[in-house]
Amino acid sequence: MPDANTDRVSAAEMVRHFSSIRKRAAQAPVYITHHGRDTHVLCPAHHFHALHDLGGQAEQSILPLDALQLSAWIDQGMILFDQDGMVTHANGALLAMMPHDPNGMIGTPLFTALPELSGSLAEPYVRRAMRHAELALFDMRSPFLPDRWLQCRIAPVGRQIVLLIRDVTRDMDALRQGEQQDELMRAIEASGQVGYVRLTARGYVQSVNDAFAALIGMAERQMIDMHFCRLTEPNARIALSDELEIVLGQGKDRAVRARLLHGEGRLLDVQMGMTCIRSAYGHDGAAVIVSPAVHVQQPTGFTDNMNGHNLRIA
């Protein structure tokens, strides 16, 4: 950019002193003004040709240099290719998603560099983007690695096309797990005989299903924010608390036999299964399945050798 120190001459001076001004332009560009405004720049021919070549490279590049450098730091795979499918750039994040060297892709047709894309879900989207500059966003099973899922985004940018690839295997696993949990909960609700309790990470009741509320004769609103151990008989609460600590603190599954307090004041023998609810950031609480205990010929209360509480570890 020109500044106060830039060499400037008027058009009239240019005509009168061209020879000397030409020599000055060989050292640094000379701005020619007309009525005080910059209108032309005088520079050597080789400088002009160099600028012209640089401008052609910039025109063919899809992104400025700093954006291409940024692509080396993002966790998404990025491939740039032209309308003929020739790869012009590929970043290092692709190494985690496919057994191909990104540097080896450059200058190679996309379907030659990545033959696994041929016949995959991505192929028609890529070809439509090459022909008609169509946008696309889709998930597909990875054609490169088994048991992996990829999310692909295709978009025309300038005269080229960008393909962004993100590994979404964890998201898909979480989705499938959520669907399985929904199916399990529907089966539990359909039975009408199995109680379900969701506990917070500190063991407080977060929610219960209708079957559990009916089992112990209490409304859900009476149990919300109550510590789960308070629902069992008083002399077994410490033992149940220890079991909950194993579930919530160590992430281990536990099966226990206990007696819960019924809303009418009587004790109810139940069998419980407890498991830790895990999230991406650690333990997020516990799930408890409760059903009436099957009575067999045994003493009413099982005496634990450790503490004498009426709580049985199944």
Side-chain angles (χ1 to χ4, degrees), residues 124-136:
Y125 290 108
V126 171
R127 296 198 183 281
R128 285 202 294 269
M130 291 164 58
R131 294 193 189 102
H132 309 296
E134 289 188 11
L135 299 169

Side-chain angles (χ1 to χ4, degrees), residues 239-260:
L240 181 58
S241 179
D242 292 341
E243 292 298 311
L244 267 179
E245 179 59 30
I246 293 174
V247 174
L248 296 170
Q250 302 177 27
K252 296 181 179 180
D253 298 338
R254 304 295 286 175
V256 300
R257 186 84 170 263
R259 291 195 294 179
L260 299 181

Side-chain angles (χ1 to χ4, degrees), residues 74-184:
I74 63 176
D75 59 0
Q76 285 182 303
M78 186 174 80
I79 301 175
L80 306 179
F81 54 96
D82 59 24
Q83 294 176 344
D84 295 323
M86 193 68 67
V87 177
T88 59
H89 180 77
N91 72 347
L94 294 165
L95 286 169
M97 306 176 202
M98 58 186 67
H100 298 287
D101 180 9
N103 292 327
M105 301 179 195
I106 299 174
T108 305
L110 179 63
F111 290 102
T112 301
L114 302 177
E116 297 91 342
L117 289 182
S118 297
S120 72
L121 180 63
E123 182 179 6
Y125 290 108
V126 171
R127 296 198 183 281
R128 285 202 294 269
M130 291 164 58
R131 294 193 189 102
H132 309 296
E134 289 188 11
L135 299 169
L137 174 64
F138 57 93
D139 297 337
M140 69 174 185
R141 288 188 179 275
S142 173
F144 309 107
L145 299 173
D147 302 322
R148 310 298 293 179
W149 281 84
L150 302 176
Q151 183 182 83
C152 301
R153 184 185 298 271
I154 303 174
V157 182
R159 297 184 178 183
Q160 299 195 41
I161 300 162
V162 59
L163 169 61
L164 295 175
I165 305 175
R166 185 167 69 95
D167 190 320
V168 293
T169 305
R170 180 179 295 181
D171 297 337
M172 296 300 292
D173 288 344
L175 179 62
R176 286 198 297 269
Q177 185 177 10
E179 292 173 347
Q180 293 171 355
Q181 290 175 347
D182 290 342
E183 294 167 357
L184 175 61

Side-chain angles (χ1 to χ4, degrees), residues 222-265:
Q222 296 176 275
M223 293 178 274
I224 298 300
D225 294 331
M226 177 187 295
H227 198 280
F228 185 65
C229 293
R230 290 187 58 191
L231 295 175
T232 192
E233 59 180 326
N235 64 347
R237 290 175 183 173
I238 294 178
L240 181 58
S241 179
D242 292 341
E243 292 298 311
L244 267 179
E245 179 59 30
I246 293 174
V247 174
L248 296 170
Q250 302 177 27
K252 296 181 179 180
D253 298 338
R254 304 295 286 175
V256 300
R257 186 84 170 263
R259 291 195 294 179
L260 299 181
L261 293 173
H262 192 275
E264 297 176 352

Side-chain angles (χ1 to χ4, degrees), residues 62-80:
I62 186 170
L63 295 172
L65 180 60
D66 54 352
L68 291 176
Q69 291 172 334
L70 178 62
S71 74
W73 295 95
I74 63 176
D75 59 0
Q76 285 182 303
M78 186 174 80
I79 301 175
L80 306 179

